């Protein structure tokens, strides 16, 4: 039984089936079959932004079919065809926040497939992964909206999937405190950043 990350060969590729057998104390993600340690417990600004976003989005979703989840929550994403190993999932991530509108993707273990909206809140130790590896994973998987929240700078980059399957921003500059960020997934819904970073 795997109870410590030290028992894993970090140069090896694993599957979701492997992941389910581990009983680790520390949180990990599986990205294209590779074990990736998650950052230590997030700081106060990260948790404050996460909590405020959860309240704003959760309040909006009351009475709607879409569901909001926060980490830890397993999201199994499909790999590009060339990387699939006998149809075994090799990517399991734990986004800070995610919204799923296709309820058939939900099971007792989390979400099997792309959420409609993912929010990652940057910290110094996760910024590179969130802006590069996860950006590409989410784009490939078809996550319609991917927000990158930078609590230290008080900014949000709300990427939206365009008709060509690429992420695009609705404007050339990040949204900052004082702005309301429109949610492409829900026309008419805006998130007030003063409340998020206040």
């Amino acid at each position: 039984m795997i109870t410590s990350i030290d028992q894993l060969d970090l140069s090896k590729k694993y599957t979701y089936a492997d992941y389910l057998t581990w009983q680790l104390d520390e949180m990990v993600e599986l990205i294209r079959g590779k074990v990736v340690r998650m950052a230590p417990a997030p700081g106060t600004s990260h948790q404050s932004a996460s909590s405020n976003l959860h309240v704003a989005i959760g309040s909006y979703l009351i009475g709607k079919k879409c569901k909001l989840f926060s980490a830890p929550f397993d999201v199994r994403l499909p790999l590009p065809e060339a990387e699939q190993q006998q149809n075994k999932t090799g990517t399991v991530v734990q986004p800070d926040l995610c919204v799923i509108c296709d309820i058939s993707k939900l099971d007792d273990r989390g979400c099997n497939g792309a959420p409609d909206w993912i929010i990652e809140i940057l910290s110094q130790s996760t910024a590179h992964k969130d802006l590069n590896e996860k950006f590409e994973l989410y784009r490939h998987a078809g996550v319609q909206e991917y927000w990158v929240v930078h609590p230290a700078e008080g900014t949000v980059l709300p990427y939206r999937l365009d008709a060509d399957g690429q992420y695009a921003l609705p404007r050339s500059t990040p949204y900052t405190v004082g702005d309301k960020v429109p949610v492409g997934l829900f026309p008419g819904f805006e998130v007030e950043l003063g409340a998020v970073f206040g």
Side-chain angles (χ1 to χ4, degrees), residues 4 15 23 38 46 72 80-81 84 94 104 107 129 137 140-141 166 183:
S4 167
T15 67
Q23 296 184 11
M38 293 191 67
H46 179 290
E81 252 182 73
Q84 287 181 11
Q94 296 199 12
S104 70
D107 58 29
K129 180 173 66 168
L137 283 173
H140 173 268
Q166 300 300 316
V183 180

Side-chain angles (χ1 to χ4, degrees), residues 83-98:
E83 297 178 40
Q84 287 181 11
Q85 304 170 356
Q86 302 147 9
N87 292 326
K88 293 179 183 173
T89 301
T91 296
V92 185
V93 293
Q94 296 199 12
D96 288 309
L97 296 165
C98 63

Side-chain angles (χ1 to χ4, degrees), residues 59-91:
S59 297
Y60 175 79
L61 292 179
I62 291 172
K64 297 179 175 58
K65 69 171 186 167
C66 301
K67 302 290 181 192
L68 171 65
F69 297 91
S70 56
F73 180 75
D74 284 351
V75 173
R76 287 113 63 200
L77 294 175
L79 287 168
E81 252 182 73
E83 297 178 40
Q84 287 181 11
Q85 304 170 356
Q86 302 147 9
N87 292 326
K88 293 179 183 173
T89 301
T91 296

